[in-house]
Amino acid sequence: MIDDIKDLSTVEKQKLIARKKFFACFGQCFVGIVVATFAMTLFSLFMVGDFLQAFTVASAAVTTGRFVGAFAMMLVLFFGVYSFSVRSGKGKPSRDFWLTCVMVVISYLLSVTGATKLSVFAMPLSLSTLVLLELIGRRTATLANVISGVLVIIAFVFEPAKFDFGMIVSSVICNCMGGLLINFLMNKHFNRLKFLIMSMVSPLVVQPLVAALTLVSGAEYIDIAWNMLWCYGANVAAALLFLPIVSILEGIFNIADDFRLSELCNLSNPLLKRLASEAPGTFNHSLVVGNLAEACASAIGENPNMARCAAYYHDIGKLKAPLYFSENQSSYNPHDELIPEVSVSMITSHTLFGEILARQNRLPSEIVDICRQHHGTAPVGYFYRKALSLKEDGDLAVNKYTYSGPKPQTKIAAIIMISDTIEAAMRAYMPDTKEEYEARINRLVDEKIEMRQFDECPITMGDIAIIKKTIIEVLPSIHHRRVDYDKRKKD
Ligand SMILES: [Fe+2]
Ligand SMILES: [Fe+2]
């Protein structure tokens, strides 16, 4: 098998790996697909149909139809979420699917309950849209909204005698439109209050549609008012349920949505407080890297909040032995008493310890990965040169003096690597002239490219050029030095 893989071209290898990843993810999610299918179908039989009658021979075909319909919709949901997640390169397909699955089931249960117990227009289908828009993204939220609507239609389609199917379809259309409208109008970076206000205002736009569809179905004017009220009420209920559900799910699935990122960026967070007191130099360095990374992420269309948060935590591994890092030293340097090999192992281990500490503190997986990846497989140049100077023959393999990797896997990880390298270098020495300063930044980034540190992430040369330009513009304002008035007087 290994020989077979060796013979394949790079494209074929990538296809083989992609196929393996797809089937592994499908295996992890299949239980969710089956459980969701059974839960929703049994619930609809209980609420909409005749539960005991459904399992007789006479109803076997209809009941099978319900199960097959729900199963097919869940399969469509899986393929859609998987494809969006892989294409975005940011999500984790199985986690995204489980999360979407949970939200579709919750929306479905509430909608079927509302439609059977209150009014056919009491379907809070926009709940899944609101939550998934915040936790995953627009496309997944839209898909979940449509799939929830189709599942509700499947629940009622086999019971034409009990429910007015035309009204059910009208309700699903209006409530799905409410969700789609929220999806269109909302911005993922809205604060919680804006999110709530928008989710309460946008259903008003759907009300004329509710009135029109109710009129077409031949209902009386009083029904129009009631249907509008129930439809609006369902959307308001979705908006009120949004915050508690997001808070619960972001904790369970450990998701780095903007609410969670802003909480993690709060400097009173215990881990950041510990960094400030035990490794003040590293803490200051992380804040500056945060400013640079945020500007770079905005410039290339990545999430600036994620970049800032990852920068704040990227060096937490230095908490294990802060004094071994130059930014935390004053006069005493413990490396003076160590051979270069030991110094290198002390320094390089901060990525591994950072990963462990981030996991222990339940930081989002994106940040855990960046703690490990932000130095890639680059060598620790100073100690390599020191070891080389001690060798008599002047020949030394560099691989024992490098970080263990992996290389950055995402654009944000690459941004952190670049911002980190430049901040550390400029802290040590800030050139006096503009030309020298720009040349130094270009050289530092080009060195990383030559070391092939960005080979495993989707960053382009265009992105790197924008990042360089952004840092050249932003860094001087961060490293702004006060004017030396005494020196001016002397001059
Ligand atoms: Fe580091
Ligand atoms: Fe750093």
Side-chain angles (χ1 to χ4, degrees):
M1 182 66 187
I2 292 168
D3 289 340
D4 291 348
I5 291 174
K6 274 181 188 169
D7 293 339
L8 296 172
S9 70
T10 313
V11 177
E12 284 170 329
K13 272 182 199 169
Q14 282 172 350
K15 278 186 184 170
L16 189 69
I17 292 167
R19 218 174 295 149
K20 276 185 177 177
K21 277 185 182 169
F22 171 79
F23 284 112
C25 181
F26 188 68
Q28 289 166 9
C29 299
F30 189 71
V31 179
I33 295 172
V34 173
V35 170
T37 303
F38 272 84
M40 289 189 290
T41 311
L42 293 176
F43 187 76
S44 74
L45 285 172
F46 185 73
M47 297 295 285
V48 183
D50 185 337
F51 193 80
L52 295 175
Q53 178 69 24
F55 295 99
T56 60
V57 178
S59 305
V62 171
T63 309
T64 309
R66 283 177 185 275
F67 274 102
V68 171
F71 185 71
M73 282 300 109
M74 291 310 291
L75 280 180
V76 172
L77 186 72
F78 170 77
F79 289 123
V81 174
Y82 183 86
S83 129
F84 296 151
S85 187
V86 169
R87 270 190 224 163
S88 75
K90 292 170 193 163
K92 302 205 178 298
S94 58
R95 183 193 69 181
D96 287 357
F97 174 73
W98 276 98
L99 187 55
T100 313
C101 187
V102 167
M103 278 321 301
V104 165
V105 171
I106 291 175
S107 284
Y108 177 89
L109 299 184
L110 291 175
S111 299
V112 170
T113 308
T116 50
K117 300 289 177 194
L118 301 170
S119 156
V120 284
F121 275 85
M123 291 188 190
L125 285 171
S126 57
L127 179 62
S128 58
T129 315
L130 273 168
V131 173
L132 295 172
L133 181 63
E134 172 59 27
L135 296 181
I136 302 179
R138 207 176 287 279
R139 285 187 292 184
T140 305
T142 309
L143 180 69
N145 188 24
V146 174
I147 296 277
S148 310
V150 176
L151 282 165
V152 170
I153 289 177
I154 292 172
F156 287 93
V157 72
F158 297 106
E159 301 293 339
K162 286 187 187 173
F163 295 90
D164 181 345
F165 188 63
M167 288 298 274
I168 293 284
V169 174
S170 302
S171 168
V172 168
I173 290 172
C174 292
N175 282 294
C176 277
M177 286 295 284
L180 292 173
L181 199 70
I182 287 169
N183 211 342
F184 177 72
L185 293 173
M186 292 282 189
N187 186 323
K188 202 171 177 291
H189 305 303
F190 276 2
N191 60 33
R192 291 179 198 228
L193 186 65
K194 259 189 179 173
F195 225 102
L196 269 176
I197 292 170
M198 284 302 293
S199 54
M200 292 206 177
V201 170
S202 47
L204 291 173
V205 183
V206 188
Q207 296 311 309
L209 186 66
V210 177
L213 288 174
T214 312
L215 262 181
V216 168
S217 68
E220 292 176 13
Y221 286 107
I222 186 72
D223 293 332
I224 298 173
W226 275 114
N227 287 350
M228 286 168 76
L229 205 64
W230 279 118
C231 184
Y232 185 74
N235 283 283
V236 170
L240 294 176
L241 286 171
F242 160 72
L243 277 183
I245 290 183
V246 163
S247 305
I248 294 167
L249 291 181
E250 73 182 11
I252 294 173
F253 288 89
N254 198 11
I255 291 174
D257 66 315
D258 283 333
F259 298 153
R260 178 105 193 278
L261 289 174
S262 66
E263 281 166 14
L264 287 172
C265 282
N266 190 326
L267 298 183
S268 60
N269 186 290
L271 203 51
L272 291 180
K273 267 186 164 176
R274 211 184 131 196
L275 195 66
S277 67
E278 293 177 33
T282 304
F283 176 73
N284 278 318
H285 155 75
S286 303
L287 295 187
V288 178
V289 175
N291 286 334
L292 291 180
E294 186 185 43
C296 294
S298 293
I300 64 164
E302 288 292 306
N303 183 349
N305 298 336
M306 172 64 86
R308 177 177 283 277
C309 192
Y312 280 8
Y313 290 89
H314 79 285
D315 269 342
I316 51 171
K318 291 182 180 176
L319 280 169
K320 192 180 183 185
L323 279 181
Y324 284 84
F325 299 89
S326 59
E327 67 268 25
N328 300 315
Q329 293 164 3
S330 48
S331 53
Y332 172 65
N333 182 358
H335 293 292
D336 293 342
E337 296 161 13
L338 299 174
I339 57 169
E341 287 75 11
V342 177
S343 293
V344 165
S345 76
M346 290 300 297
I347 285 172
T348 54
S349 65
H350 86 269
T351 54
L352 185 61
F353 184 64
E355 184 190 12
I356 293 167
L357 197 58
R359 275 191 209 289
Q360 283 171 352
N361 284 273
R362 286 209 83 226
L363 294 186
S365 59
E366 292 87 344
I367 294 172
V368 174
D369 293 344
I370 288 173
C371 287
R372 187 68 194 263
Q373 295 164 12
H374 71 277
H375 287 287
T377 54
V380 187
Y382 175 79
F383 289 103
Y384 174 67
R385 287 192 292 276
K386 189 176 171 186
L388 204 58
S389 67
L390 296 173
K391 280 285 252 182
E392 284 171 5
D393 55 3
D395 186 27
L396 189 62
V398 75
N399 53 5
K400 283 184 184 166
Y401 297 84
T402 59
Y403 284 92
S404 58
K407 293 173 183 177
Q409 303 291 308
T410 59
K411 285 188 182 186
I412 302 252
I415 288 173
I416 302 294
M417 173 182 264
I418 295 172
S419 308
D420 180 41
T421 307
I422 293 175
E423 202 289 320
M426 293 300 181
R427 188 175 282 261
Y429 166 66
M430 185 74 162
D432 290 326
T433 66
K434 190 171 175 264
E435 291 72 25
E436 210 186 325
Y437 160 74
E438 289 186 14
R440 188 143 193 252
I441 287 179
N442 283 321
R443 197 167 58 246
L444 287 165
V445 179
D446 292 346
E447 273 173 16
K448 296 290 178 200
I449 297 170
E450 282 160 24
M451 285 182 222
R452 310 191 72 86
Q453 294 302 309
F454 307 124
D455 283 8
E456 293 174 14
C457 69
I459 201 159
T460 63
M461 291 310 284
D463 292 332
I464 292 176
I466 295 170
I467 290 169
K468 276 184 193 173
K469 193 168 166 271
T470 308
I471 294 180
I472 287 170
E473 283 168 10
V474 173
L475 190 61
S477 62
I478 299 172
H479 272 219
H480 175 73
R481 277 178 270 182
R482 283 171 184 273
V483 177
D484 187 345
Y485 293 107
D486 291 340
K487 187 172 179 283
R488 252 192 200 181
K489 265 185 197 169
K490 278 178 209 163
D491 290 345

